[in-house]
Amino acid sequence: MRSLAMGFPRCRSVHTCFMNYPIDVAFLDASGRAIEVHAAVGPWKVLSCPGAVSVLERPTPRGHEPPSLRLVAPAPSPPSYPDAA
């Protein structure tokens, strides 16, 4: 089953008041990378991340699997080092 994520630009905190299902929350930095991820957040919780500039939310998949970072942000590229010749 596929689920859609909701994005909240210019946001660094969320609440789950009145929610009747758990959600996965990813806080993103200015480059779009996930800097904090919370899986299966239940109702009546408040989350914040001071370094975030936006937030993604999605319903937690059945079975409460951890969220896939591929959904919220690409993995950073490994560093490249110049040849030491």
Side-chain angles (χ1 to χ4, degrees):
M1 176 179 131
R2 293 178 79 174
S3 65
L4 297 177
M6 292 190 341
F8 298 95
R10 296 179 304 280
C11 179
R12 60 180 62 135
S13 64
V14 296
H15 69 81
T16 59
C17 300
F18 310 104
M19 298 289 295
N20 61 0
Y21 53 88
I23 61 172
D24 297 334
V25 178
F27 292 96
L28 307 180
D29 66 11
S31 66
R33 289 197 175 115
I35 56 175
E36 201 170 297
V37 177
H38 299 268
V41 179
W44 299 101
K45 305 289 186 222
V46 176
L47 301 172
S48 65
C49 179
V53 297
S54 61
V55 179
L56 287 178
E57 294 181 359
R58 72 170 185 183
T60 299
R62 279 200 181 115
H64 301 281
E65 296 87 3
S68 166
L69 289 178
R70 286 178 288 135
L71 173 71
V72 297
S77 301
S80 59
Y81 300 101
D83 293 333

